[in-house]
Amino acid sequence: MPTSFDLLPSANPTAAAIRGDILDNPGFGRYFSDHMVHIRWTVDAGWHGHQVRPYGPLTLDPAAAVLHYGQEIFEGIKAYRHADGSVWTFRPEKNAERFRRSARRLALPELSDDDFIGSLKALLVQDHEWVPTPASEADECSLYLRPFMIASETFLGVRPSQEVDYYVIASPAAAYFKGGVEPVSIWLSSNYNRAAPGGTGFAKCGGNYAASLAAQKEAEAHGCGQVAFLDATENKWVEELGGMNLFFVFKDGRIVTPKLTGTILEGVTRDSVLTLAKDEGLTPEERHISIDEWREGAASGEITEIFACGTAAVITPVGELVTENDRIRLAAGSDNAMGKRIRSKLLDLQYGRSEDKYGWLTQLV
Ligand SMILES: *Cc1c(COP(=O)(O)O)cnc(C)c1O
């Protein structure tokens, strides 16, 4: 049964004119809508106190567990405005399921699908005016939704928190990369790994991102926008970027993405690309791919295209891989045609411009 959310309306909602200016040029992650969702959990009462309340600072005790031991998970999902004004989201049951998987790994309580999807709907009923309207098919604007869960018990001791808070905030977003989809240079991290067997690689937790930042700084020092990580055991198998999954398109029509073995985040975009690639006549393969196969396939022309994918940036072509010793480029160059094709197929679905034949859309408002 969907739970109902109590509404505490904002006393100072953003004026329509100011909101309009923000939506004309929202950037990414800079502005937030007028409300947020909050649900409280305690070990005795479970999940309770569902509410939509004014967006604003949290009050946390300085001894709150999350501040010391990093017991935190999050999600990222977008709301899209369709041409008829309705607002939809994409495969939220996948995010709900992943959120529960992340919760189990971080010893946090699991939130039901009804509460997860219900919380997105409850926020959007209130803040639907914050969903930008695309000016054209090239205008990839959306309302980015960020559900997250934190350990809020006041207690300096290492054990799962007995008090937890779940929130959803919303931030209007323009296309992630402004100036269009340009190939990105990627730094191959050799000093750091993102995830290890038995660790938290498959969970969407803040700690994974905190641990990736030193590598990200190295990437930037080498003129790269993103960082790629190898497996922690053999330093040989390609895993993913700091926040995006990787795909390799081969000349013979195969499309390869690293297999999920617990150290890779299971992206919703990754899963959708596997399906859409089949529609394009490609043969998807989930398997290990080594850095040597990348290097050799790029040099021989066997690999014709490489791209990264995730909710925020959709699909981004990889221009080159920069390592300590070399720069790996596709010998034959690439027009990135397949990545672009799959990208527009995905966007057409998300913005309601093509038939939702896989039932991937959920209406929020
Ligand atoms: C969120 C995330 C992705 C992409 O997942 P999507 O569901 O496609 O947005 C990929 N890798 C990491 C490490 C992530 O945190």
Side-chain angles (χ1 to χ4, degrees):
M1 262 304 281
T3 319
S4 68
F5 286 74
D6 291 333
L7 172 64
L8 279 74
S10 168
N12 304 297
T14 310
I18 293 174
R19 188 180 62 234
D21 287 346
I22 292 172
L23 296 188
D24 282 344
N25 186 17
F28 191 91
R30 291 193 291 140
Y31 302 99
F32 297 91
S33 70
D34 290 315
H35 295 86
M36 62 186 184
V37 161
H38 176 221
I39 314 178
R40 174 106 177 124
W41 181 90
T42 58
V43 75
D44 296 328
W47 290 109
H48 62 278
H50 300 58
Q51 57 178 213
V52 174
R53 70 185 209 201
Y55 182 92
L58 309 180
T59 302
L60 275 184
D61 193 281
V66 63
L67 301 176
H68 306 274
Y69 307 116
Q71 201 188 358
E72 185 266 359
I73 57 171
F74 67 93
E75 272 301 327
I77 185 168
K78 286 173 169 174
Y80 308 89
R81 190 177 296 285
H82 289 190
D84 66 358
S86 57
V87 176
W88 300 71
T89 193
F90 187 70
R91 308 186 76 184
E93 58 291 334
K94 297 285 283 180
N95 297 79
E97 184 196 339
R98 183 170 70 192
F99 200 53
R100 283 192 271 105
R101 234 177 6 251
S102 300
R104 285 196 292 276
R105 182 63 186 85
L106 275 288
L108 284 162
E110 292 179 40
L111 191 72
S112 69
D113 283 20
D114 274 349
D115 274 351
F116 184 90
I117 298 172
S119 70
L120 308 182
K121 288 187 175 160
L123 183 57
L124 264 293
V125 164
Q126 203 55 29
D127 282 354
H128 59 89
E129 287 170 326
W130 284 89
V131 183
T133 302
S136 69
E137 288 199 8
D139 184 1
E140 294 167 22
C141 57
S142 62
L143 184 65
Y144 185 80
L145 307 174
R146 167 53 56 83
F148 64 102
M149 194 190 288
I150 58 171
S152 49
E153 186 182 354
T154 302
F155 176 64
L156 291 184
V158 182
R159 59 154 171 73
S161 182
Q162 299 186 354
E163 294 170 31
V164 168
D165 291 280
Y166 167 78
Y167 298 91
V168 187
I169 55 175
S171 178
Y176 196 73
F177 297 113
K178 64 167 179 220
V181 187
E182 287 298 318
V184 61
S185 291
I186 292 186
W187 169 246
L188 181 69
S189 179
S190 50
N191 289 321
Y192 305 103
N193 295 103
R194 193 190 81 90
T200 56
F202 67 88
K204 212 168 174 72
C205 61
N208 288 341
Y209 279 76
S212 75
L213 297 177
Q216 180 68 28
K217 270 173 76 178
E218 256 187 20
E220 280 158 25
H222 288 85
C224 297
Q226 295 279 331
V227 57
F229 293 97
L230 299 177
D231 78 290
T233 311
E234 297 179 72
N235 268 303
K236 173 177 174 184
W237 307 107
V238 178
E239 295 206 318
E240 61 170 317
L241 307 187
M244 282 193 269
N245 296 114
L246 280 170
F247 278 89
F248 300 82
V249 183
F250 285 71
K251 198 165 66 184
D252 62 5
R254 285 171 299 145
I255 181 166
V256 177
T257 192
K259 185 177 161 170
L260 304 172
T261 54
T263 51
I264 293 176
L265 199 287
E266 186 174 347
V268 179
T269 319
R270 174 189 180 279
D271 188 78
S272 309
V273 167
L274 284 169
T275 298
L276 297 177
K278 240 186 268 172
D279 290 351
E280 295 302 316
L282 298 175
T283 309
E285 285 182 4
E286 294 177 77
R287 63 164 169 86
H288 292 308
I289 177 162
S290 69
I291 189 66
D292 293 333
E293 184 177 357
W294 184 337
R295 188 177 277 112
E296 285 154 21
S300 71
E302 279 300 301
I303 298 177
T304 53
E305 220 172 300
I306 304 171
F307 61 81
C309 70
T311 297
V314 197
I315 286 177
T316 306
V318 172
E320 63 174 350
L321 183 72
V322 181
T323 80
E324 295 280 5
N325 308 309
D326 57 355
R327 303 176 90 87
I328 305 176
R329 288 204 190 106
L330 298 179
S334 181
D335 56 4
N336 299 303
M338 190 50 77
K340 284 181 193 159
R341 261 186 88 79
I342 296 175
R343 188 176 206 283
S344 30
K345 288 274 155 88
L346 188 55
L347 290 167
D348 283 347
L349 275 168
Q350 291 170 333
Y351 286 94
R353 297 188 293 251
S354 65
E355 190 209 331
D356 179 21
K357 68 172 178 174
Y358 297 108
W360 281 346
L361 296 186
T362 293
Q363 187 165 9
L364 294 175
V365 186

